[in-house]
Amino acid sequence: MFSLKFRLIKIKLNFGQPISISKMKKFSIEIKWAILFTIVSLLWFVGEKITGLHDIHINNQPFYALLFALPALIIYILALLDKKKKIFNGQMTWTQGFISGTFLALFITMLNPLMQYLCYEIISPNFFRLSISYKIAHKVSVENAETYYNMKNTIFRGIMDCMSYGIITSAIIALFVKTKEAPSNEK
């Protein structure tokens, strides 16, 4: 058994032990919202493809991809509110919200490579080729464009972004979703 101790959190990891279904039920809300997040991501990507952001308007794609932060933020808020209501009976600390959000980020991260594969191999198989061509035409070296726009790099960036942005988002949203302390009547 391996233990990590933090000021407010103690995590025990049992290496080699199978995860039981009863333990996974503790995370059913995070898993549900991670699946929903992945579906919304796929729909956003399809919307980009339909509106021409993967070919004729590829120059605008990075800007519109950034706008996905809004639905992502909404999903994180709704997930933590769901956890607060159904698991914590309306009473949730910042730590509980942060841990729940971090597990949500972990499950989203686990689904991300599959989502990336579906996006770039099935939905928009020419995206990398067209992005490379666009970047080369706008003074980016062939080597830099090919290094950035490929499946391996996209999956790597997706994993890193999901986890890092997810943890930061969880920390911030937990501040707003936590149960507010009742004001004291001290004078």
Side-chain angles (χ1 to χ4, degrees):
M1 180 176 301
F2 179 77
S3 284
L4 297 172
K5 292 184 182 181
F6 297 95
R7 182 184 293 174
L8 299 172
I9 307 165
K10 184 175 182 183
I11 301 172
K12 291 184 180 179
L13 303 171
N14 293 325
F15 293 107
Q17 299 294 324
I19 297 173
S20 68
I21 298 299
S22 62
K23 287 184 181 180
M24 288 307 290
K25 284 184 180 180
K26 286 178 24 179
F27 302 112
S28 62
I29 289 175
E30 290 86 351
I31 292 169
K32 173 185 80 174
W33 285 98
I35 291 169
L36 182 65
F37 186 98
T38 302
I39 291 168
V40 170
S41 298
L42 286 167
L43 292 173
W44 186 275
F45 197 83
V46 168
E48 284 184 1
K49 172 76 172 162
I50 290 170
T51 58
L53 291 172
H54 294 183
D55 44 54
I56 193 164
H57 302 295
I58 203 161
N59 60 314
N60 295 322
Q61 189 275 337
F63 170 74
Y64 287 101
L66 283 176
L67 291 179
F68 181 73
L70 295 174
L73 188 63
I74 290 168
I75 290 171
Y76 268 83
I77 291 168
L78 293 174
L80 290 184
L81 288 172
D82 192 20
K83 185 79 169 196
K84 178 180 179 179
K85 178 181 176 185
K86 292 182 180 170
I87 302 300
F88 297 118
N89 298 318
Q91 301 292 316
M92 186 167 72
T93 65
W94 177 86
T95 302
Q96 291 168 325
F98 176 69
I99 290 170
S100 177
T102 299
F103 275 101
L104 174 60
L106 176 66
F107 294 128
I108 290 170
T109 301
M110 291 167 63
L111 292 170
N112 189 267
L114 173 62
M115 194 248 345
Q116 298 285 1
Y117 178 82
L118 293 172
C119 288
Y120 296 108
E121 293 294 326
I122 309 287
I123 298 169
S124 191
N126 295 320
F127 180 81
F128 293 134
R129 182 180 56 78
L130 293 171
S131 294
I132 290 168
S133 296
Y134 173 79
K135 291 296 183 180
I136 291 169
H138 289 84
K139 309 285 189 249
V140 174
S141 73
V142 173
E143 181 182 351
N144 286 344
E146 288 177 347
T147 299
Y148 190 81
Y149 291 103
N150 63 68
M151 184 63 77
K152 182 179 176 183
N153 187 46
T154 299
I155 288 174
F156 176 76
R157 283 184 291 114
I159 290 169
M160 299 306 291
D161 290 350
C162 283
M163 232 20 244
S164 59
Y165 294 143
I167 290 171
I168 292 166
T169 301
S170 298
I172 294 168
I173 292 173
L175 287 171
F176 296 100
V177 174
K178 72 177 183 172
T179 303
K180 309 297 185 256
E181 294 180 23
S184 65
N185 292 331
E186 296 178 17
K187 292 189 177 190

